[in-house]
Amino acid sequence: MTNPSLDKEQGGSTPEQPLQPTHSQSSHDASAAEEREKSEVKEQLRTDHGDADVEERAVEGGEDAEKRNDLDRMRTTATATSVTSTTPTGRLPQQKPWYKQPNPLRWGKIPPVPKERTVCPEYTAGFFSSLVFQWMAPLMSRGYKRTLELNDIYSVNPNRAVDPLTEKLRASFKRRVAAGGKHPLLFAINETFFREFWLGGFCSLMSVIMQVMSPFTLRYLIQFATDAYIASVSGLPPPPIGHGIGLVLGVTAMQVLQSLATNHFIYRGMLVGGMARASLISLIYEKSMVISGRARAGGAELPDVPAAKVAEKHAKDKKGPPGNQAGVAGDGVGWGNGRIVNLMSVDTYRIDQAFGLFHIIWTAPISLLITLALLLVNLTYSALAGFGLLVIGVPVLAKAVKGLFARRKAINKITDQRVSLTQEILQSVRFVKFFGWENSFLDRLQEFRNREISAIQVVLSMRNAIMAISLSLPIFASMLSFITYSLSHHNLAPAQVFSSLALFNGLRMPLNLLPLVIGQVTDAWSSLARIQEFLLAEEREEEAVYKPDAPNAVELRDASFTWERTPTQEAEGTVGGSPKGKGENARKAKAEKSEPPAADSSEEASTLVEEREPFKLQNLNLEIGRNELIAVIGTVGSGKTSLLAALAGDMRKTSGELILGASRAFCPQYAWIQNATVRQNILFGKEMDKEWYAEVIKACALQPDLDMLPNNDMTEIGERGITISGGQKQRLNIARAIYFDADIVLLDDPLSAVDAHVGRHIFDNAILGLLKDKCRILATHQLWVLNRCDRIVWMEGGKIQAVDTFDNLMKNSEGFRQLMETTAVEKKKEEEGPTPQLAGDDGKSKKKKNGKGGLMQSEERAVSSVPWSVYSSYIRASGSILNAPIVLGLLILSQGANIMTSLWLSWWTSDKFGFNMGTYIGVYAGLGAGQALMMFSFMVSLSIFGTAASKGMLRQAITRVLRAPMSFFDTTPLGRITNRFSRDVDVMDNTLTDAMRMYFFSVGSIIAVFALIIAFFYYFAIALVPLFIIFVLATSYYRASAREVKRIESILRSTLFAKFSEGLTGIATIRAYGLTDRFIGDIRKAIDDMDSAYFLTYSNQRWLSVRLDMIGNCLVFTTGILVVTSRFSVNPSIGGLVLSYILAIVQMIQFTVRQLAEVENGMNSVERLLYYGTQLEEEAPLKTIEVRKTWPEKGEIIFDNVEMRYREGLPLVLQGLNMHIRGGERIGIVGRTGAGKSSIMSTLFRLVELSGGHITIDGIDISTIGLQDLRSRLAIIPQDPTLFRGTVRSNLDPFGEHTDLELWSALRQADLVPADAGPNPASGGDASNDNNGNPGGAGRIHLDSVVEEDGLNFSLGQRQLMALARALVRGSQIIVCDEATSSVDMETDDKIQATIASGFRGKTLLCIAHRLRTIIGYDRICVMDKGRIAEMGPPLELWRMEGGIFRGMCDRSGIRMEDIRGAREELEALGGGGGGGSGGETVAEKELEKKLDE
């Protein structure tokens, strides 16, 4: 294989968003609520093309692979540009002299951007610097003076890099598994991170002890004040002031220690979490490369037991760790890509979260015990009353929270359904527009959304009730204790009372955190169990034996292979919310696409009658020489692709042996294209070899395409190769296989997606040229290649029917001859020899995108904080602008009640009013209850308004997006749109109102307490002013850097996610090429990049915390000194009250800053949704004028001087097109790539508005009518048949406008069901096993058959026929057919053509063709070239134009005059002639023919 050191260096491929919508989005379980701090990909933020471009050019000059690859590694998908240029400005801000700059923090010169990233200074920091996080200071000041760039971010601390840690973790895990210990993964993690983890534990213990001791010390301070007060009143000598000051210093010192300990405990915890996550992601990725197909599909290790039974068996034996009964383990779900991405995004994230505060689990109980002891000292046995309430209350609340989780799971299911529906709609948005189905889908979405929102509102209200009670519990507990204390004939002395109040308040933190942490840890525990189960899953044995010295390249001896069964589906019918189909189908799809339809999973989804057997290859015997060219042929579903997949190592061998004599390269039917430059896609990790590269490009006819691309072969290809056409993808795929220079090349129908002449060019120059000394195995539908192959393998139903040379087969086999008859005429093609005409493929004029390398638009992004207008829109969206004052009013009331409760307590202790005991107790209890009520109503009103706003804004945004013009979808990566509709909506639904509530609540409390203190000690105001200023500066200082670090982290994270999921979709390819190590190195590099920013987000929070705590501690000190100095004048009850409050408030201060950041982040989501809901450009309105019901009656189309460009500033694609199509005429449109064939279609459906000219249909100018009217009256059979998840019925007729009989007749006409099939399921249902009879065992299809995502459970041929049936159901007068026959075999092709001829009799038909054969019988042919009509007329007339384009095409495809006549007659026989427009037409044509013949 390639040299490994080189592999590491060349790591530069960049992935795409996966085909599946799961980036944690579609399956954030319960944690959605807690996904606080790090909210996944908060911003897939915008970067800037410009610099990236310069970067590229600079590098292109010096062919310096290493440097370029370094840049490429940083390239991100989120924005399809390179992270090297994350600033919008790119210039340093202007330096001002210090005297013009009022803010002293901005003095000094602005630091330049470093040339390269430096190692994290924490690596070398001393003790003091580490203690207060001073090593962060340089980054903070840099971030305050200018926007941070990627190079400012320190690279990861070498002690925390992913490589050594993963190795250590893996070694430990393997050792423990081998030793057979329990929970090997858990202990391996503990061993790997032992020192750091338990250091955090020690800090946690310290902080807890300090936290309890300081309120207790208050008792002595208050006692001191009381003594002094009494002394002054009764004229005795007061205690010396030194005692008081000593106590104040003591309390402050404890607070300082506690603050440092807490910060380090959190920092260490989060770091260990982050490092554990990094190592786990790396392990998961490595494992996904080697996991066996059987484990992927969830089959057990038993031969062929239906998965359903296996699931039952497993459920019985597996009583695994908590969370497994929920159907996580071995229940036939398997490890599809969706689940693996989930492990990586959700499960590792939960483990990461749980580490953050893990130690609270054992330190909180300790703190509770110490507190109880101190309370007993203070209040004797009365303390037990309050404590008892807490002990009973907290578990009850925890139980209630658990109840919420179950509901949350149910909500997640609805959310998943909504997200995957959104995802599907967006993936096929062009299609939804063609059919005018927007409203149908919006209604479906709205239905999910209503269910989702009402469920969320219920959960939030329950949660608010729980929160209100838990926040009031300490108040009620202290009430109970004080009431008991005073009733048991004690005098309420201020010292005991307020010290106890502070202790009870101190309990709030551990009590609230404990259930949360326990929840996180149990979540993490089930996630850990899942990851462990995955890491222990069965690995694939290399099926093949390598014998480099074997005489043959490939030998199969009695080998049988099998696909894995389809993972069991939940019987969810239409909306299946399980991750089922995603991963497994993506796998099968790669390997199988138009193949083993036997592995399909239609009815048993809903009925589970009998599990369908997966497709198998049986008893293959085959020897292939080292330089043979072997063709593999057979009908759809006969196992061609499977044979290649077996050789590529993608199927499980069940018996026999497979011997490979050399390395292999694999070119799957569906190209796996990475999101990288064209060159990287071809090199695929190999060294650049100039000459060989050039030859490969030439052989694959790629040069003309490269010339059309903006940066030649350095052009970036979008996700999944979105920016290039199907044919180009396929040719890249072939180029990669050739360039790789392996000795066995497996080609799976590579010529299907390209035009005939290009196919011939590739066949001659690549397959017979560059590869002539290799062993080539070619699965193909293109029968013209057969007689140039050395031998032919004929597959039928998973077995090899025959292996022989072409001539022998023609001689001896009747079946083979019949197969060849269908293409008899194509023989002539060879003689003409290949014409190296320009590469063509499938007419997507998507090439000429904007002149720069980047096609995708950068995401619009708010640089500074969120503008006020967003807040006001948010409030308006919640129903009315008055909602805000209502919420604030409730907040003020609840805070007022809070302060009053405590004031009343202090008046009671000093017996200010001289009421009797009963009155004091009654009012005290009443105030407490009132406060809890107010708090609850404040929270509930906030949540209800918040979710209402979220619902309104999502509806507005999704409607607007579906109404956006196509150019928006062409320039916006799908992942970004889905991200807004999943991540951002999730934030608005669940986290934003929470963040707001906490923020308002903390701010309210702080203001209330300060007001209270100032009321009694007005000198406090003097201390407050400077501290407040410092506080504001510190926070703005912090936020400047924190925002950028977070943003860079999000970009790096989405790069990692994209790389990860892209790697998963390409596993078959990566494995066949043997490049796993290179991709693993790549992912690790990405993980380290993400961590470098991720770890800084922790340390900058700690940096801020330490500094804000200092401010808080100054406040405590000031208050203490004020109480001591005014000990004679102020009643000690008040002093005690104030001191106990200030201790409680210190913790809140930094919390407020963090909450504010949370609210801002949440509002960012609002801003982004608002942007989609209000700023996107829209298409023309759906309805304008009334159009008569019957229009179009004739179907006459007139193009009058039509000009069209795809977007502003792009060249015209159609230039002055004039064409008159009579009603009922059949027109074939041909031309090479980019000639504007598909553009005609786009103009007809107004996907792109015209730049000039008019199109009229039956006398109505289509630009004047509503889009809905226009699109619903036309029918289209698109190039790639798109099916939506649901049933066959919902795909044919989403609005339910047609009867079942109409639908059945369409299915029959499209030949999807046998002629006798009808509405009763029995007739068509039993034919489920015929693999060979009719293609794809068509008898299985039924109106209620389940359709999985993208319709992957149907073979490609069936999907094509389904698209045909859809057009038939529509019954429109005008049909546009974008040649869909490129990837089906001849037989299916003939069927489709026959259906088109008979089913659309007398209707206007426009067919964009790639195979001339399909249209030579049409009435007229229009040859497009460069956006103009080059030739137009009846086929015979065009054929006779010597030297014409059409004639040239015919010659190349070996089409003669007789063929054209024959095709014509055939069509007439089927469809009763063309030209329904004017009967004279055909007669005239015949006259013309006679004349010409004579």
Side-chain angles (χ1 to χ4, degrees):
M1 284 317 335
T2 48
N3 137 8
S5 64
L6 180 146
D7 277 345
K8 287 210 182 57
E9 205 163 272
Q10 292 271 351
S13 63
T14 334
E16 19 134 67
Q17 300 317 13
L19 293 145
Q20 314 84 8
T22 62
H23 273 183
S24 78
Q25 307 155 339
S26 64
S27 65
H28 33 231
D29 279 21
S31 67
E34 288 98 32
E35 282 201 9
R36 272 262 130 33
E37 269 301 3
K38 303 170 219 169
S39 44
E40 276 328 319
V41 199
K42 197 56 114 338
E43 288 271 66
Q44 288 200 333
L45 290 144
R46 101 144 170 233
T47 55
D48 187 64
H49 292 317
D51 319 46
D53 233 49
V54 178
E55 217 51 283
E56 294 260 357
R57 274 190 219 103
V59 180
E60 214 173 318
E63 266 305 350
D64 174 354
E66 197 176 354
K67 195 155 145 208
R68 173 166 342 92
N69 276 318
D70 265 2
L71 281 175
D72 291 332
R73 282 197 201 104
M74 296 189 291
R75 170 129 338 115
T76 131
T77 326
T79 47
T81 54
S82 106
V83 199
T84 36
S85 56
T86 38
T87 29
T89 54
R91 281 197 310 279
L92 290 180
Q94 197 51 49
Q95 177 77 52
K96 285 188 190 164
W98 62 271
Y99 50 84
K100 286 195 183 161
Q101 173 59 277
N103 180 348
L105 292 177
R106 290 199 190 275
W107 292 350
K109 72 179 205 308
I110 293 172
V113 182
K115 287 282 168 286
E116 60 210 24
R117 300 167 66 173
T118 47
V119 171
C120 185
E122 183 193 18
Y123 188 45
T124 52
F127 174 75
F128 180 73
S129 169
S130 303
L131 186 68
V132 296
F133 299 95
Q134 191 49 38
W135 55 270
M136 280 296 290
L139 184 73
M140 291 304 214
S141 79
R142 219 180 305 162
Y144 191 63
K145 291 182 179 169
R146 64 174 169 73
T147 313
L148 287 177
E149 316 252 337
L150 182 74
N151 277 356
D152 289 316
I153 303 290
Y154 303 127
S155 65
V156 102
N157 177 343
N159 301 336
R160 313 194 197 288
V162 71
D163 263 337
L165 292 175
T166 310
E167 297 310 326
K168 196 171 164 188
L169 182 63
R170 189 194 298 109
S172 172
F173 180 61
K174 287 219 163 102
R175 200 171 60 242
R176 284 161 199 280
V177 171
K182 271 187 124 37
H183 313 309
L185 187 56
L186 183 69
F187 289 111
I189 291 178
N190 180 42
E191 179 184 341
T192 312
F193 304 110
F194 190 84
R195 220 186 112 240
E196 193 106 43
F197 183 60
W198 289 106
L199 178 66
F202 172 71
C203 289
S204 170
L205 186 62
M206 283 283 302
S207 99
V208 156
I209 293 172
M210 290 299 162
Q211 192 177 2
V212 180
M213 291 316 290
S214 36
F216 188 66
T217 324
L218 268 194
R219 172 181 175 173
Y220 297 99
L221 186 54
I222 299 173
Q223 194 56 57
F224 164 84
T226 313
D227 293 347
Y229 187 71
I230 291 170
S232 81
V233 170
S234 54
L236 298 171
I241 192 165
H243 286 193
I245 292 185
L247 284 168
V248 171
L249 288 172
V251 171
T252 313
M254 283 179 180
Q255 287 285 7
V256 170
L257 272 175
Q258 185 209 333
S259 140
L260 290 174
T262 308
N263 281 319
H264 275 274
F265 143 59
I266 295 178
Y267 182 57
R268 305 285 158 203
M270 293 190 157
L271 267 182
V272 172
M275 294 189 296
R277 176 178 197 184
S279 313
L280 287 173
I281 289 179
S282 177
L283 285 178
I284 290 170
Y285 190 70
E286 287 164 43
K287 178 74 181 192
S288 66
M289 291 287 172
V290 295
I291 186 171
S292 72
R294 184 193 304 163
R296 279 206 137 194
E301 330 275 312
L302 317 169
D304 303 326
V305 176
K309 286 189 196 134
V310 177
E312 281 160 34
K313 182 179 151 306
H314 266 274
K316 289 196 197 86
D317 355 312
K318 248 210 157 78
K319 285 286 172 284
N324 259 348
Q325 290 82 350
V328 180
D331 46 5
V333 174
W335 293 104
N337 287 353
R339 283 193 80 198
I340 298 179
V341 168
N342 262 347
L343 280 186
M344 174 267 189
S345 56
V346 180
D347 289 326
T348 58
Y349 176 69
R350 286 192 186 156
I351 290 170
D352 178 356
Q353 284 298 69
F355 270 111
L357 299 173
F358 176 82
H359 296 293
I360 288 182
I361 278 201
W362 58 275
T363 53
I366 295 178
S367 107
L368 292 181
L369 290 173
I370 304 177
T371 309
L372 177 59
L374 295 180
L375 279 172
L376 285 174
V377 173
N378 271 347
L379 298 178
T380 67
Y381 58 85
S382 311
L384 292 172
F387 204 79
L389 178 66
L390 288 178
V391 170
I392 297 164
V394 169
V396 170
L397 288 177
K399 193 103 195 108
V401 171
K402 275 277 172 298
L404 287 182
F405 274 2
R407 285 174 174 260
R408 169 60 69 196
K409 276 223 163 56
I411 292 180
N412 284 336
K413 216 167 218 166
I414 308 177
T415 308
D416 288 352
Q417 291 169 9
R418 174 179 59 79
V419 171
S420 53
L421 180 59
T422 313
Q423 180 93 4
E424 262 191 297
I425 296 172
L426 292 175
Q427 265 173 347
S428 337
V429 68
R430 164 172 261 117
F431 199 82
V432 174
K433 287 185 178 301
F434 274 143
F435 278 86
W437 280 354
E438 295 99 332
N439 290 341
S440 153
F441 281 116
L442 281 175
D443 293 345
R444 269 169 73 185
L445 272 178
Q446 197 53 39
E447 183 193 334
F448 281 141
R449 187 67 181 149
N450 292 339
R451 276 167 47 203
E452 185 187 7
I453 283 289
S454 53
I456 286 178
Q457 287 182 339
V458 171
V459 166
L460 285 181
S461 305
M462 287 167 64
R463 202 158 112 216
N464 289 328
I466 293 172
M467 287 295 291
I469 294 170
S470 76
L471 282 174
S472 331
L473 258 186
I475 299 171
F476 287 122
S478 50
M479 266 185 195
L480 252 183
S481 289
F482 297 149
I483 292 172
T484 319
Y485 190 63
S486 68
L487 287 179
S488 55
H489 310 299
H490 287 85
N491 193 7
L492 285 186
Q496 280 84 350
V497 169
F498 289 108
S499 161
S500 305
L501 190 62
L503 281 168
F504 272 122
N505 276 337
L507 283 180
R508 191 175 279 184
M509 254 347 223
L511 282 179
N512 281 348
L513 281 177
L514 195 58
L516 179 83
V517 173
I518 291 175
Q520 280 183 347
V521 171
T522 46
D523 269 358
W525 175 239
S526 59
S527 289
L528 198 66
R530 254 199 303 267
I531 292 177
Q532 180 176 310
E533 186 198 340
F534 177 65
L535 293 179
L536 293 174
E538 179 188 32
E539 302 200 357
R540 105 181 7 242
E541 281 83 56
E542 187 44 73
E543 310 283 357
V545 187
Y546 280 102
K547 289 197 186 157
D549 45 357
N552 291 325
V554 179
E555 291 186 32
L556 288 165
R557 301 196 186 133
D558 290 325
S560 299
F561 297 87
T562 174
W563 283 115
E564 305 304 338
R565 64 191 77 273
T566 317
T568 43
Q569 287 194 349
E570 285 176 37
E572 276 252 350
T574 329
V575 272
S578 66
K580 53 162 196 287
K582 289 181 194 138
E584 150 278 333
N585 270 326
R587 187 203 84 249
K588 231 176 38 213
K590 261 201 315 288
E592 164 227 298
K593 286 298 173 151
S594 66
E595 281 280 336
D600 120 4
S601 47
S602 51
E603 295 97 336
E604 89 273 345
S606 38
T607 52
L608 278 177
V609 203
E610 37 94 45
E611 180 90 7
R612 186 144 309 123
E613 278 298 287
F615 190 77
K616 292 188 178 47
L617 295 176
Q618 285 132 347
N619 315 337
L620 307 179
N621 283 299
L622 183 59
E623 295 191 348
I624 305 180
R626 285 190 171 270
N627 51 11
E628 255 192 305
L629 167 56
I630 298 279
V632 184
I633 59 165
T635 55
V636 168
S638 59
K640 300 182 295 294
T641 301
S642 301
L643 176 62
L644 270 88
L647 296 178
D650 217 37
M651 280 178 86
R652 178 157 55 91
K653 188 173 69 189
T654 48
S655 63
E657 55 179 337
L658 160 63
I659 300 169
L660 293 180
S663 61
R664 61 189 171 201
F666 177 41
C667 173
Q669 187 177 8
Y670 270 51
W672 177 64
I673 302 289
Q674 290 176 285
N675 177 343
T677 58
V678 176
R679 177 180 303 177
Q680 282 162 312
N681 265 300
I682 296 175
L683 297 186
F684 211 50
K686 291 283 241 193
E687 286 276 294
M688 174 70 168
D689 168 348
K690 274 284 177 33
E691 283 128 50
W692 177 233
Y693 182 73
E695 282 183 39
V696 172
I697 294 281
K698 194 158 124 246
C700 295
L702 276 166
Q703 200 50 57
D705 300 273
L706 292 180
D707 297 339
M708 292 171 81
L709 292 170
N711 293 355
N712 209 324
D713 68 347
M714 296 309 290
T715 308
E716 185 90 5
I717 305 179
E719 353 175 339
R720 296 209 298 284
I722 182 147
T723 40
I724 55 178
S725 68
Q728 287 168 319
K729 271 189 226 174
Q730 200 53 48
R731 299 208 303 277
L732 268 188
N733 200 3
I734 301 170
R736 173 193 294 169
I738 300 174
Y739 187 87
F740 197 75
D741 207 21
D743 295 328
I744 302 174
V745 186
L746 307 170
L747 301 158
D748 188 355
D749 203 2
L751 305 179
S752 63
V754 296
D755 288 355
H757 56 274
V758 183
R760 186 147 300 104
H761 174 88
I762 292 177
F763 190 71
D764 292 322
N765 297 342
I767 299 175
L768 295 177
L770 297 180
L771 294 176
K772 61 179 178 300
D773 305 324
K774 312 270 192 229
C775 159
R776 294 142 297 168
I777 304 168
L778 172 74
T780 185
H781 289 306
Q782 255 75 359
L783 301 179
W784 53 266
V785 305
L786 297 185
N787 59 352
R788 322 232 337 234
C789 299
D790 301 325
R791 283 188 301 159
I792 292 164
V793 174
W794 181 16
M795 300 287 297
E796 204 51 85
K799 298 190 177 58
I800 293 182
Q801 192 87 357
V803 182
D804 214 336
T805 61
F806 180 76
D807 302 333
N808 292 357
L809 281 174
M810 280 303 272
K811 269 210 295 286
N812 313 334
S813 159
E814 180 52 37
F816 184 74
R817 271 203 298 279
Q818 278 176 349
L819 241 162
M820 294 312 286
E821 312 282 69
T822 53
T823 53
V825 261
E826 308 239 340
K827 277 299 111 33
K828 268 198 60 201
K829 289 179 184 166
E830 265 68 88
E831 285 84 273
E832 273 91 50
T835 34
Q837 202 216 0
L838 274 179
D841 26 43
D842 43 7
K844 294 244 176 79
S845 334
K846 273 211 203 145
K847 300 298 142 19
K848 305 217 173 54
K849 295 287 177 169
N850 42 18
K852 293 207 210 106
L855 142 81
M856 293 303 174
Q857 291 195 336
S858 25
E859 183 158 16
E860 80 309 320
R861 142 167 176 268
V863 180
S864 56
S865 41
V866 181
W868 287 108
S869 59
V870 174
Y871 288 92
S872 69
S873 312
Y874 181 67
I875 295 169
R876 279 203 190 84
S878 73
S880 94
I881 201 90
L882 294 176
N883 289 342
I886 294 175
V887 173
L888 285 177
L890 287 169
L891 173 68
I892 291 167
L893 284 174
S894 78
Q895 284 305 338
N898 185 353
I899 294 288
M900 272 309 296
T901 315
S902 312
L903 267 177
W904 187 259
L905 183 65
S906 85
W907 290 332
W908 179 9
T909 53
S910 59
D911 195 8
K912 187 171 179 185
F913 305 115
F915 294 141
N916 64 354
M917 182 80 78
T919 315
Y920 278 125
I921 291 177
V923 173
Y924 187 46
L927 281 168
Q931 171 194 349
L933 249 167
M934 286 300 172
M935 196 144 69
F936 175 66
S937 42
F938 159 67
M939 292 173 177
V940 168
S941 60
L942 192 57
S943 312
I944 299 283
F945 293 147
T947 41
S950 156
K951 181 177 172 181
M953 290 179 90
L954 175 67
R955 189 176 52 232
Q956 190 186 7
I958 192 102
T959 314
R960 187 83 176 228
V961 166
L962 281 187
R963 302 277 305 108
M966 273 318 291
S967 58
F968 168 72
F969 296 98
D970 286 340
T971 54
T972 313
L974 242 188
R976 186 190 303 159
I977 308 180
T978 341
N979 192 29
R980 300 217 175 175
F981 289 140
S982 54
R983 179 75 226 156
D984 288 337
V985 170
D986 180 55
V987 168
M988 285 176 68
D989 283 350
N990 301 307
T991 39
L992 180 59
T993 50
D994 259 16
M996 282 183 161
R997 184 197 71 220
M998 286 172 168
Y999 177 65
F1000 284 137
F1001 203 76
S1002 335
V1003 170
S1005 312
I1006 292 174
I1007 292 176
V1009 171
F1010 285 166
L1012 180 76
I1013 297 178
I1014 292 174
F1016 289 104
F1017 303 94
Y1018 37 85
Y1019 285 116
F1020 186 74
I1022 300 171
L1024 200 56
V1025 172
L1027 288 175
F1028 180 70
I1029 291 172
I1030 295 174
F1031 172 82
V1032 169
L1033 286 177
T1035 50
S1036 66
Y1037 198 63
Y1038 157 79
R1039 273 170 48 203
S1041 313
R1043 195 169 42 225
E1044 294 306 308
V1045 173
K1046 185 85 204 143
R1047 180 170 70 76
I1048 292 173
E1049 187 253 346
S1050 305
I1051 291 176
L1052 292 169
R1053 162 167 307 167
S1054 37
T1055 309
L1056 168 66
F1057 274 43
K1059 266 200 166 67
F1060 189 94
S1061 34
E1062 179 177 75
L1064 281 186
T1065 48
I1067 282 179
T1069 312
I1070 295 173
R1071 215 157 31 199
Y1073 281 98
L1075 289 178
T1076 37
D1077 290 349
R1078 182 184 144 234
F1079 277 85
I1080 290 170
D1082 228 32
I1083 213 87
R1084 285 189 176 178
K1085 173 94 178 58
I1087 295 175
D1088 270 343
D1089 276 349
M1090 175 182 95
D1091 279 350
S1092 61
Y1094 191 33
F1095 294 162
L1096 285 183
T1097 55
Y1098 299 147
S1099 43
N1100 66 26
Q1101 281 164 11
R1102 295 302 120 216
W1103 179 90
L1104 178 73
S1105 284
V1106 169
R1107 281 148 189 72
L1108 291 185
D1109 279 346
M1110 291 308 154
I1111 298 178
N1113 295 334
C1114 291
L1115 288 178
V1116 171
F1117 181 70
T1118 314
T1119 315
I1121 294 292
L1122 285 173
V1123 169
V1124 171
T1125 48
S1126 58
R1127 60 191 184 281
F1128 302 130
S1129 53
V1130 173
N1131 193 319
S1133 311
I1134 299 290
L1137 174 68
V1138 163
L1139 278 172
S1140 70
Y1141 260 127
I1142 194 78
L1143 280 185
I1145 225 74
V1146 169
Q1147 303 298 317
M1148 269 188 172
I1149 290 180
Q1150 53 156 312
F1151 191 61
T1152 314
V1153 177
R1154 298 262 295 288
Q1155 259 355 97
L1156 178 60
E1158 276 299 304
V1159 173
E1160 279 225 310
N1161 280 335
M1163 290 311 289
N1164 251 328
S1165 297
V1166 175
E1167 184 176 17
R1168 294 161 54 165
L1169 261 190
L1170 187 70
Y1171 176 84
Y1172 271 18
T1174 55
Q1175 306 293 310
L1176 291 186
E1177 43 178 338
E1178 289 189 276
E1179 289 187 300
L1182 289 178
K1183 281 258 182 285
T1184 49
I1185 52 175
E1186 275 306 308
V1187 180
R1188 55 184 185 273
K1189 279 277 182 294
T1190 54
W1191 178 88
E1193 295 85 354
K1194 300 207 294 291
E1196 175 187 43
I1197 310 174
I1198 300 171
F1199 286 80
D1200 170 23
N1201 202 14
V1202 169
E1203 297 188 341
M1204 188 271 271
R1205 53 168 59 94
Y1206 275 103
R1207 290 198 303 285
E1208 277 307 302
L1210 293 186
L1212 286 173
V1213 197
L1214 294 179
Q1215 316 177 0
L1217 186 77
N1218 286 303
M1219 177 160 57
H1220 179 189
I1221 300 167
R1222 300 179 192 77
E1225 214 179 354
R1226 290 162 189 250
I1227 303 279
I1229 301 176
V1230 293
R1232 53 166 306 259
T1233 307
K1237 302 185 297 250
S1238 304
S1239 308
I1240 293 187
M1241 194 170 74
S1242 301
T1243 54
L1244 198 54
F1245 282 86
R1246 284 177 65 195
L1247 283 194
V1248 184
E1249 295 292 348
L1250 302 183
S1251 313
H1254 300 282
I1255 302 178
T1256 45
I1257 299 181
D1258 280 2
I1260 294 186
D1261 181 343
I1262 64 170
S1263 61
T1264 59
I1265 63 176
L1267 292 183
Q1268 180 76 42
D1269 287 326
L1270 170 67
R1271 290 172 184 168
S1272 60
R1273 310 288 173 92
L1274 305 176
I1276 181 168
I1277 304 171
Q1279 197 168 18
D1280 23 5
T1282 310
L1283 298 184
F1284 294 97
R1285 179 188 275 168
T1287 58
V1288 173
R1289 176 185 282 109
S1290 70
N1291 269 291
L1292 293 180
D1293 179 26
F1295 288 101
E1297 299 167 320
H1298 302 277
T1299 62
D1300 277 11
L1301 286 172
E1302 295 176 69
L1303 299 183
W1304 274 110
S1305 95
L1307 286 180
R1308 275 197 296 275
Q1309 272 179 293
D1311 205 35
L1312 271 166
V1313 295
D1316 55 355
N1320 51 336
S1323 60
D1326 43 10
S1328 64
N1329 278 333
D1330 53 352
N1331 280 336
N1332 9 22
N1334 44 28
R1340 290 196 301 259
I1341 296 177
H1342 170 34
L1343 282 183
D1344 293 315
S1345 299
V1346 174
V1347 178
E1348 284 182 15
E1349 207 174 347
D1350 293 340
L1352 290 181
N1353 52 341
F1354 291 98
S1355 74
L1356 203 60
Q1358 288 170 321
R1359 299 210 289 275
Q1360 289 292 13
L1361 294 170
M1362 203 86 99
L1364 192 60
R1366 202 186 262 155
L1368 286 164
V1369 170
R1370 219 174 213 187
S1372 161
Q1373 188 55 38
I1374 297 179
I1375 290 99
V1376 180
C1377 169
D1378 187 355
E1379 162 115 85
T1381 50
S1382 52
S1383 32
V1384 278
D1385 57 40
M1386 287 295 175
E1387 201 179 335
T1388 321
D1389 193 7
D1390 293 343
K1391 254 188 215 171
I1392 292 179
Q1393 290 310 324
T1395 310
I1396 288 178
S1398 58
F1400 300 131
R1401 187 173 301 140
K1403 310 209 161 155
T1404 309
L1405 177 67
L1406 295 180
C1407 183
I1408 294 175
H1410 297 187
R1411 299 184 178 175
L1412 279 180
R1413 247 163 228 298
T1414 50
I1415 56 154
I1416 48 175
Y1418 282 19
D1419 301 329
R1420 282 195 294 167
I1421 289 189
C1422 158
V1423 183
M1424 295 290 296
D1425 188 40
K1426 300 206 176 79
R1428 294 193 171 81
I1429 296 183
E1431 307 171 355
M1432 178 146 184
L1436 279 168
E1437 200 177 287
L1438 294 184
W1439 191 82
R1440 293 204 175 79
M1441 287 166 55
E1442 289 290 339
I1445 302 182
F1446 182 71
R1447 176 66 183 264
M1449 288 175 157
C1450 287
D1451 291 348
R1452 275 197 299 282
S1453 307
I1455 292 177
R1456 300 158 309 191
M1457 174 103 73
E1458 303 83 278
D1459 299 329
I1460 296 181
R1461 290 224 178 95
R1464 177 86 207 169
E1465 278 148 25
E1466 210 174 303
L1467 263 183
E1468 278 169 19
L1470 279 164
S1478 53
E1481 158 82 8
T1482 39
V1483 184
E1485 219 176 55
K1486 293 218 171 73
E1487 295 290 300
L1488 179 78
E1489 269 177 37
K1490 276 205 192 80
K1491 280 204 194 88
L1492 283 167
D1493 280 357
E1494 287 154 12

